[in-house]
Amino acid sequence: QVQLVESGGGLVQAGGSLRLSCEASRSIFSIKVMGWYRQAPGKQRELVAALTSGGSTNYADFVKGRFTISRDNAKNTFYLQMNSLKFEDTAAYYCNIKSYVGMDYWGKGTLVTVSS
């Protein structure tokens, strides 16, 4: 079992920046994929960004060039740097990890509110 705890959400003006963190309760060195998802009110949860153990990244089109996913294995933590935030980025953001043995873990979410 792995616990994930997100932090870094909050209220920011459009054009501003936030960095979300996701701290895992154990090493993330061998995790297959780590990712960030978001869910806005009344909408389905959607992938924002993902990072594989090999270092490959995948970004949703709506965040390309604005968001960056990264990790710090020594801190068992991965991040989502969000720049040039837009009103439509307002959502609850969830971190997720998938292991090589098919396990799938989620954090409880952190709320990002962007004021226009």
Side-chain angles (χ1 to χ4, degrees):
Q1 190 74 10
V2 179
Q3 282 75 47
L4 302 177
V5 179
E6 301 100 336
S7 61
L11 175 63
V12 64
Q13 289 187 332
S17 298
L18 285 174
R19 188 177 79 157
L20 305 183
S21 299
C22 179
E23 183 174 2
S25 59
R26 65 168 180 81
S27 173
I28 61 171
F29 181 76
S30 61
I31 294 299
K32 182 179 179 181
V33 183
M34 54 195 74
W36 289 95
Y37 291 73
R38 72 185 188 186
Q39 187 168 17
K43 296 188 177 181
Q44 289 188 331
R45 190 171 296 188
E46 58 186 357
L47 175 68
V48 175
L51 173 64
T52 71
S53 59
S56 298
T57 57
N58 180 38
Y59 293 96
D61 287 343
F62 51 78
V63 303
K64 282 182 180 177
R66 300 189 297 125
F67 292 9
T68 303
I69 188 171
S70 63
R71 67 185 178 204
D72 186 335
N73 291 338
K75 295 182 179 180
N76 298 338
T77 301
F78 61 103
Y79 306 95
L80 184 68
Q81 177 67 44
M82 306 186 295
N83 299 327
S84 302
L85 283 161
K86 304 176 181 180
F87 175 75
E88 50 266 39
D89 293 319
T90 296
Y93 284 72
Y94 299 87
C95 62
N96 170 264
I97 59 172
K98 294 177 173 52
S99 74
Y100 283 98
V101 295
M103 302 302 287
D104 197 349
Y105 300 100
W106 292 89
K108 293 183 179 181
T110 185
L111 186 61
V112 172
T113 303
V114 184
S115 62
S116 59

